[in-house]
């Protein structure tokens, strides 16, 4: 399994930026970095993904270190609705093995947003 | 459809009974995945399908669990002789392809309670 390491929990105040870190020192050259979040009593929701370059979409930004051994999910202005568990996941897209293409969900980071 | 649809949303069954959980993926998504999530835990991979075939069944916890997919669309996860430890939320997801760099779309899950 391609492993990622995230803090168990983080807190933020509403309207402030949030930087959620993820370490993935064993990443391979063909692994994509995916972020999902899971709100209470819901299935996980795709947030963003990238390979080497930083990525932006309507939900968040993804900053990827030059050596790709770490990444940071950036929520530019946290809202109460952003309170969720955030998962950083590596997705393999080449190589061999029946585990190709699977997503491995760790424990993620529980984000608390204070009003 | 617009999203991944799972039914039923909730299922309470007696220990020893069989249950069937249904997943209707997004139209055109060839890859379909089953995960389960026990209370307060992360997501546990069960099985995935590429089209109608299941190249990776390694996550099924026992031979009481089986899954099939017909017509490259709807999938059914069957649990025979249910046990209390089978109680969990069963989540289905789909993606364009199992090697797709795109994200998964998850359904809202089926909450299974074995009493």
């Amino acid at each position: 399994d391609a492993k990622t390491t995230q803090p168990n929990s983080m807190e933020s105040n509403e309207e402030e930026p949030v930087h959620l870190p993820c370490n993935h020192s064993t990443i391979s050259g063909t692994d994509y970095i995916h972020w999902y979040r899971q709100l209470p009593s819901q299935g996980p929701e795709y947030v963003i993904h990238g390979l080497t370059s930083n990525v932006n979409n309507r939900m968040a930004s993804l900053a990827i270190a030059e050596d790709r051994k770490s990444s940071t999910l950036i929520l530019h202005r946290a809202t109460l609705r952003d309170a969720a568990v955030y998962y950083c996941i590596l997705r393999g897209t080449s190589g061999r093995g029946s585990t190709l293409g699977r997503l491995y969900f760790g424990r993620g980071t529980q984000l608390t947003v204070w009003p | 459809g617009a999203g991944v649809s799972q039914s039923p949303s909730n299922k309470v069954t007696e220990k020893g009974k069989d249950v069937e959980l249904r997943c209707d993926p997004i139209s055109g998504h060839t890859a379909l995945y089953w995960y389960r999530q026990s209370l307060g835990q992360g997501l546990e991979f069960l099985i995935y399908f590429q089209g109608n075939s299941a190249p990776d069944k390694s996550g099924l916890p026992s031979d009481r669990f089986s899954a099939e997919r017909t017509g490259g669309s709807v999938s059914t996860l069957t649990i025979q002789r249910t046990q209390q430890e089978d109680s969990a939320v069963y989540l289905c997801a789909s993606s364009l392809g199992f090697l797709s760099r795109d994200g998964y779309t998850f359904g809202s899950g089926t909450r299974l309670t074995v009493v």
Side-chain angles (χ1 to χ4, degrees):
Chain A
D1 298 1
K3 300 295 186 187
T4 62
T5 304
Q6 299 176 254
N8 290 332
S9 62
M10 292 186 66
E11 299 183 356
S12 174
N13 293 318
E14 205 174 6
E15 302 293 312
E16 290 184 353
V18 181
H19 290 229
L20 297 165
C22 180
N23 288 319
H24 29 77
S25 59
T26 61
I27 191 170
S28 74
T30 54
D31 287 342
Y32 278 75
I33 302 160
H34 283 240
W35 282 82
Y36 286 75
R37 71 180 186 181
Q38 187 172 23
L39 279 66
S41 301
Q42 295 188 26
E45 173 188 30
Y46 166 81
V47 177
I48 199 167
H49 77 279
L51 183 62
T52 57
S53 302
N54 294 344
V55 184
N56 299 292
N57 66 21
R58 62 175 181 81
M59 292 182 69
S61 295
L62 176 60
I64 301 172
E66 194 169 336
D67 63 4
R68 299 207 331 122
K69 294 184 184 299
S70 66
S71 61
T72 302
L73 180 70
I74 302 166
L75 306 179
H76 296 284
R77 293 179 65 187
T79 70
L80 297 178
R81 290 173 296 176
D82 292 324
V85 177
Y86 286 78
Y87 297 98
C88 169
I89 299 162
L90 301 183
R91 183 169 192 191
T93 59
S94 70
R96 293 181 293 177
S98 61
T99 58
L100 190 63
R102 286 166 50 174
L103 295 182
Y104 294 91
F105 286 81
R107 290 298 185 98
T109 297
Q110 174 69 62
L111 175 66
T112 300
V113 180
W114 299 105
Chain B
V4 176
S5 177
Q6 291 189 249
S7 61
S9 55
N10 281 286
K11 176 72 176 179
V12 180
T13 189
E14 292 181 352
K15 178 181 174 181
K17 294 286 181 68
D18 297 351
V19 295
E20 283 190 354
L21 312 179
R22 176 189 168 105
C23 173
D24 199 343
I26 291 175
S27 178
H29 280 193
T30 62
L32 185 148
Y33 312 82
W34 284 98
Y35 285 79
R36 75 175 176 180
Q37 187 170 33
S38 301
L39 187 63
Q41 302 296 312
L43 275 76
E44 175 188 3
F45 171 81
L46 297 178
I47 189 171
Y48 89 86
F49 290 88
Q50 175 62 28
N52 290 337
S53 66
D56 187 357
K57 301 180 182 179
S58 63
L60 295 177
S62 77
D63 59 7
R64 297 185 295 106
F65 287 71
S66 63
E68 64 175 14
R69 188 181 186 195
T70 55
S73 182
V74 173
S75 175
T76 302
L77 178 69
T78 301
I79 308 174
Q80 296 178 310
R81 306 180 302 282
T82 52
Q83 304 295 312
Q84 289 186 328
E85 62 262 28
D86 299 333
S87 296
V89 176
Y90 288 80
L91 291 158
C92 175
S94 68
S95 67
L96 284 171
F98 89 108
L99 285 180
S100 170
R101 292 167 290 180
D102 297 327
Y104 287 16
T105 301
F106 279 85
S108 297
T110 293
R111 182 175 298 278
L112 175 66
T113 304
V114 182
V115 298

